Amino acid sequence: MSLEWFPFVIGIFALSLISWMNSILFNNVLLFEIGKVIYFLAIFAFLSILILWVKGYIENRQSIQEDLKNLTRIALSAFLGVILFIIGAFFTVYIGVNANTAYVLLILYFIGYSEVFAVNVFTGYILFTRTLRQEDLNYTILVPSLALSANVLLSARLLPPHLPYISLFYTKVVYFIMLISFGIAFFQFMFLGSIALVSHLTFKGHPSVVMIPVGASSILAMNILTFPSYNFLDFLYFPEKVSITLGIILFGFELWNLTVGLIIAISRRNLKPNLAVWAYIFPLAISSFSDFLLYQLTSITFFKYLELTLSIVIVLFYIYSMRITFLIIKRRENAR
């Protein structure tokens, strides 16, 4: 079991996300309950894959060295922290939080952030010190940046004013982390994204990687849209109308890249099956969530129905990705 299976887990969480969002948008209790069931299924899938992954390293320690030499696999390991953020965020939604569990989730947040930050730094070290192949410089090098700025998934749900349990000191610490993470991710998207774009245009890697900029613009928008909620701290100040304006600006790039990415996905649907197909789902889920936030803040109906459209697209991609995954498993079994 390799790191390429983590996006599969995120794909299941994406189904829970869209069920929850649409339960709110359309006031449907059944969708909420479906999302809750999917959430627990996703946790089970995550723990199963995590155990098999660790077991593989124990049985074959050489594979650890091999993965540490593979830039793509190192970058994908940042999804581990993202999964912890997602588990914590939806715990607050489906199960609920009290003063004790809030601090347990805060510890989970720091563990997830530490893992993501370490992967981000190690990826940077490799980029600057190792001789790399051209195919190494694909959009997966942006995954640690996406993961770093994804800490808002849990922090926004966990902290005041959404929940009252975390002390002012820790609230300021997490908000400070969010701000510096945003700064790191923003410039990494600019510089590393440019390198990855040139490499992709030259090397023509997996077409699914064109969706990573969708996730990048969406997750930056998510961060910006949450900043005004922390104005009560008297720590820093971010006007709500400015956040909405910037969010819509980023949405423009998201929509353009999303359109191009989906056209490419349809035109390349007959390519050789590959687990990289799961790379479509996480950016689509982040995009749908940013549209959900924009609708809540602006009440513009377009964002509501775009979120619904993306929810349908995510389900279709999930079904397609599962089909591809089964074909790959069957092909591997036949090759034995």
Side-chain angles (χ1 to χ4, degrees):
M1 190 66 67
S2 65
L3 292 163
E4 283 86 349
W5 286 93
F6 279 153
F8 164 75
V9 176
I10 292 180
I12 304 176
F13 278 117
L15 296 181
S16 179
L17 172 67
I18 61 176
S19 294
W20 170 70
M21 289 190 298
N22 286 295
S23 73
I24 293 175
L25 292 180
F26 300 99
N27 193 27
N28 190 304
V29 177
L30 178 60
L31 285 175
F32 180 87
E33 294 300 325
I34 291 173
K36 187 175 182 179
V37 172
I38 296 173
Y39 169 71
F40 286 111
L41 290 174
I43 292 177
F44 174 77
F46 167 62
L47 293 176
S48 300
I49 291 173
L50 183 65
I51 290 170
L52 291 173
W53 178 46
V54 173
K55 181 173 177 288
Y57 278 157
I58 294 174
E59 293 177 348
N60 182 14
R61 296 187 179 182
Q62 186 64 30
S63 62
I64 299 176
Q65 297 298 322
E66 293 174 359
D67 283 352
L68 289 174
K69 294 177 182 178
N70 188 314
L71 181 60
T72 297
R73 290 190 175 181
I74 291 170
L76 288 175
S77 67
F79 276 133
L80 177 58
V82 174
I83 291 172
L84 295 181
F85 294 148
I86 295 172
I87 289 174
F90 277 105
F91 186 94
T92 68
V93 171
Y94 293 126
I95 300 174
V97 181
N98 56 36
N100 293 325
T101 55
Y103 278 94
V104 172
L105 292 178
L106 184 65
I107 294 172
L108 183 71
Y109 169 83
F110 287 127
I111 292 172
Y113 187 81
S114 298
E115 192 271 342
V116 166
F117 187 80
V119 172
N120 190 291
V121 171
F122 189 51
T123 302
Y125 169 79
I126 292 173
L127 286 170
F128 280 103
T129 59
R130 291 186 187 176
T131 301
L132 302 171
R133 301 167 300 172
Q134 186 178 25
E135 55 264 36
D136 290 327
L137 298 175
N138 57 61
Y139 273 127
T140 56
I141 64 175
L142 289 178
V143 170
S145 305
L146 282 169
L148 194 68
S149 53
N151 75 87
V152 69
L153 290 169
L154 178 52
S155 61
R157 297 287 311 176
L158 186 61
L159 299 181
H162 187 79
L163 291 175
Y165 303 112
I166 304 301
S167 70
L168 184 62
F169 171 77
Y170 285 114
T171 300
K172 287 185 176 182
V173 169
V174 174
Y175 186 45
F176 180 76
I177 288 174
M178 187 194 306
L179 286 174
I180 63 173
S181 300
F182 179 87
I184 295 170
F186 176 78
F187 285 103
Q188 286 182 342
F189 289 150
M190 287 181 60
F191 295 113
L192 297 181
S194 299
I195 294 171
L197 175 61
V198 173
S199 178
H200 179 74
L201 294 177
T202 304
F203 181 69
K204 295 293 188 279
H206 294 300
S208 57
V209 298
V210 302
M211 295 299 294
I212 299 231
V214 175
S217 58
S218 300
I219 213 157
L220 289 177
M222 283 171 49
N223 277 263
I224 291 173
L225 291 171
T226 60
F227 287 161
S229 64
Y230 302 110
N231 287 342
F232 77 96
L233 289 172
D234 198 26
F235 181 52
L236 291 172
Y237 180 75
F238 206 98
E240 183 176 353
K241 290 185 178 180
V242 173
S243 74
I244 294 173
T245 302
L246 292 175
I248 294 175
I249 289 172
L250 288 168
F251 166 78
F253 177 72
E254 167 197 326
L255 186 62
W256 174 84
N257 214 119
L258 180 64
T259 304
V260 173
L262 292 178
I263 291 173
I264 292 174
I266 295 171
S267 64
R268 301 292 181 88
R269 63 187 181 279
N270 294 323
L271 288 179
K272 182 179 178 181
N274 191 287
L275 285 176
V277 69
W278 287 102
Y280 278 101
I281 295 180
F282 178 59
L284 283 171
I286 293 297
S287 178
S288 67
F289 189 51
S290 68
D291 297 338
F292 172 78
L293 292 178
L294 282 170
Y295 173 70
Q296 287 193 314
L297 291 169
T298 66
S299 297
I300 297 175
T301 308
F302 172 74
F303 292 118
K304 177 180 180 179
Y305 288 101
L306 179 60
E307 186 279 331
L308 178 61
T309 302
L310 288 180
S311 296
I312 296 171
V313 172
I314 288 170
V315 172
L316 294 175
F317 263 109
Y318 182 84
I319 295 171
Y320 175 72
S321 299
M322 284 298 296
R323 176 179 174 272
I324 294 297
T325 301
F326 284 127
L327 287 174
I328 291 172
I329 293 172
K330 184 177 180 180
R331 186 178 63 192
R332 289 176 179 176
E333 288 179 348
N334 293 335
R336 291 177 181 176

